[in-house]
Amino acid sequence: MTLYLRHYWKDERLSFPSKHNKSMTFDGRLVKKIWVPDVFFVHSKRSFIHDTTTENIMIRVYPDGHVLYSLRVTVTSACNMDFSRFPLDTQTCTLELESYAYTDEDLMLYWKSGDESLSTDDKISLSQFLIQKFHTTSRLAFYSSTGWYNRLYINFTLRRHIFFFLLQTYFPATLMVMLSWVSFWIDRRAVPARVSLGITTVLTMSTIITGVNASMPRVSYIKAVDIYLWVSFVFVFLSVLEYAAVNYLTTVHDGTDRKLRQKTLPGTCDISSMRTMMLNEAYGRPESNGLAGYTQTTVSSEEPAEKQDPMAVCLSIGPEVKGAKKRTLRGLRIIQNTHAIDAYSRMIFPGAFIFFNLIYWSVYL
């Protein structure tokens, strides 16, 4: 940050008589000739005083010895941040000022007007943060080798803008999860369509996770965005596993049906036995010109007990076999009914994802 750092103190050695009680203003060349506070920025990585076109330093001395010492400084300071709620986090950064040489017995530092000592431009805005508030504090800092020092603090409360991350991270991840649900409405026989859709969503989620982590701070703990992205990845991956289960159960079910159709059950007649019965009936029927009366009498007398259509026998067994097959597979009907798995997934996956979003946003917002 770039700031104007202004010091106020009274040095009676600099007092002078004045009829109109007017102050005298000097530039930075007077700094080396008088005493000035040796204030520095604690935890500063880099700081400098602007010197274009000359050093941006001003000293104003009043007749009673009061001094105003102002300088324009740019400071790059460290800020300890907790990214466990990133990007829904609020950070508090401090800028610390302290005398380097004078202890609290020699020099007392304090804010002139408390929080009113800080003034900022209303037009200041940050790309990622919103400055919610700032306040001042002061306390003593102890060094084991030198003693106690007065330290002044400027505390900034920064809230991160979330809209950028909603567009770049949360919306794409949510859309990929919703896109993976489309496979539940595609016919289970369309293997290329469902497999390609599942693999595409998985790879896209992997790309989103890699891209987001590349632009984020590398920390050893889990961030809020990591939870959302990895849960979304799990939902996409489970949709692929769902079709793997559907395809496997479909294959097993079709194989079982094929074996049952090929197997001849007891009590049924096959085509060869039917053909033999029909040929025996054709050769055993007498001609109409010889022994017609005897033949007609014999057949009519034995008709109630022996005359029966062989095809009717075979067809009458069919429903009983089919019922036995249904009773055998009744226990696995829901598992092997792949349409039911897809139907359940259409409700379970969206419901679970909506429930996760409700918990996630209620916790982190």
Side-chain angles (χ1 to χ4, degrees):
M1 65 177 64
T2 298
L3 52 91
Y4 294 96
L5 182 60
R6 298 185 176 96
H7 308 74
Y8 302 88
W9 74 92
K10 184 178 181 180
D11 190 346
E12 296 180 353
R13 296 172 298 178
L14 299 177
S15 61
F16 60 93
S18 175
K19 295 181 180 180
H20 302 287
N21 196 23
K22 291 184 178 181
S23 63
M24 299 178 62
T25 303
F26 305 92
D27 58 16
R29 290 175 292 181
L30 186 63
V31 175
K32 298 179 181 179
K33 301 181 181 296
I34 64 173
W35 179 89
V36 293
D38 58 342
V39 175
F40 77 103
F41 294 94
V42 186
H43 307 306
S44 172
K45 293 185 175 181
R46 182 174 180 268
S47 60
F48 62 91
I49 299 175
H50 291 261
D51 56 359
T52 306
T53 58
T54 59
E55 284 188 325
N56 298 167
I57 298 176
M58 183 268 291
I59 295 180
R60 183 173 296 168
V61 182
Y62 293 88
D64 59 353
H66 281 87
V67 181
L68 167 60
Y69 173 46
S70 177
L71 62 160
R72 182 167 175 256
V73 186
T74 295
V75 183
T76 302
S77 182
C79 179
N80 295 324
M81 294 186 177
D82 181 13
F83 293 103
S84 59
R85 300 176 66 90
F86 180 89
L88 308 172
D89 55 337
T90 299
Q91 305 293 342
T92 301
C93 295
T94 60
L95 190 64
E96 305 173 10
L97 297 90
E98 181 182 310
S99 173
Y100 190 82
Y102 302 104
T103 64
D104 61 335
E105 297 179 355
D106 302 323
L107 179 65
M108 293 293 295
L109 293 178
Y110 63 93
W111 294 107
K112 183 180 180 181
S113 303
D115 290 343
E116 295 180 359
S117 300
L118 302 178
S119 60
T120 60
D121 189 354
D122 295 335
K123 297 180 180 179
I124 291 178
S125 61
L126 301 176
S127 59
Q128 291 194 33
F129 292 98
L130 171 65
I131 303 177
Q132 289 186 325
K133 63 179 180 178
F134 54 88
H135 62 280
T136 61
T137 56
S138 61
R139 59 175 178 265
L140 293 176
F142 176 74
Y143 297 91
S144 59
S145 57
T146 55
W148 294 88
Y149 293 82
N150 287 109
R151 181 177 295 182
L152 304 181
Y153 296 84
I154 306 175
N155 302 299
F156 298 90
T157 302
L158 308 175
R159 182 172 181 82
R160 196 181 304 273
H161 294 298
I162 190 178
F163 189 71
F164 171 81
F165 298 95
L166 288 177
L167 292 179
Q168 300 295 328
T169 304
Y170 287 96
F171 284 167
T174 303
L175 291 178
M176 286 301 103
V177 175
M178 296 175 64
L179 183 61
S180 66
W181 301 340
V182 176
S183 63
F184 303 150
W185 278 266
I186 300 177
D187 185 12
R188 68 184 188 278
R189 306 289 181 180
V191 178
R194 296 191 65 166
V195 171
S196 61
L197 181 60
I199 297 300
T200 301
T201 53
V202 169
L203 294 179
T204 304
M205 280 300 306
S206 301
T207 304
I208 293 175
I209 294 174
T210 303
V212 170
N213 290 331
S215 60
M216 289 183 181
R218 292 174 176 82
V219 293
S220 59
Y221 48 85
I222 298 176
K223 303 181 290 294
V225 68
D226 294 334
I227 297 176
Y228 193 90
L229 290 178
W230 281 105
V231 170
S232 300
F233 183 83
V234 169
F235 271 95
V236 172
F237 186 72
L238 288 178
S239 66
V240 178
L241 294 183
E242 187 270 348
Y243 178 64
V246 167
N247 186 268
Y248 173 76
L249 293 177
T250 300
T251 304
V252 173
H253 184 70
D254 293 345
T256 304
D257 289 345
R258 191 179 302 109
K259 291 180 180 179
L260 290 176
R261 286 195 300 267
Q262 292 177 357
K263 184 177 180 181
T264 302
L265 297 178
T268 60
C269 54
D270 54 7
I271 297 176
S272 59
S273 61
M274 292 171 57
R275 187 175 300 171
T276 303
M277 294 174 65
M278 293 175 66
L279 291 175
N280 291 336
E281 182 181 2
Y283 283 107
R285 184 180 303 144
E287 296 181 359
S288 57
N289 295 330
L291 300 177
Y294 176 78
T295 305
Q296 182 69 22
T297 304
T298 306
V299 173
S300 61
S301 62
E302 296 179 357
E303 183 176 359
E306 299 295 337
K307 186 177 181 180
Q308 189 175 7
D309 188 1
M311 186 60 69
V313 175
C314 295
L315 292 178
S316 62
I317 300 177
E320 297 180 0
V321 176
K322 187 175 181 180
K325 174 185 173 182
K326 286 185 177 180
R327 288 191 298 270
T328 304
L329 300 178
R330 184 174 300 172
L332 300 177
R333 182 179 300 171
I334 297 178
I335 299 178
Q336 292 187 347
N337 188 357
T338 55
H339 290 290
I341 295 179
D342 282 338
Y344 294 153
S345 299
R346 295 169 191 172
M347 297 181 294
I348 294 175
F349 275 75
F353 191 70
I354 292 174
F355 180 72
F356 162 72
N357 275 271
L358 292 176
I359 295 179
Y360 180 87
W361 295 109
S362 63
V363 170
Y364 287 103
L365 281 182

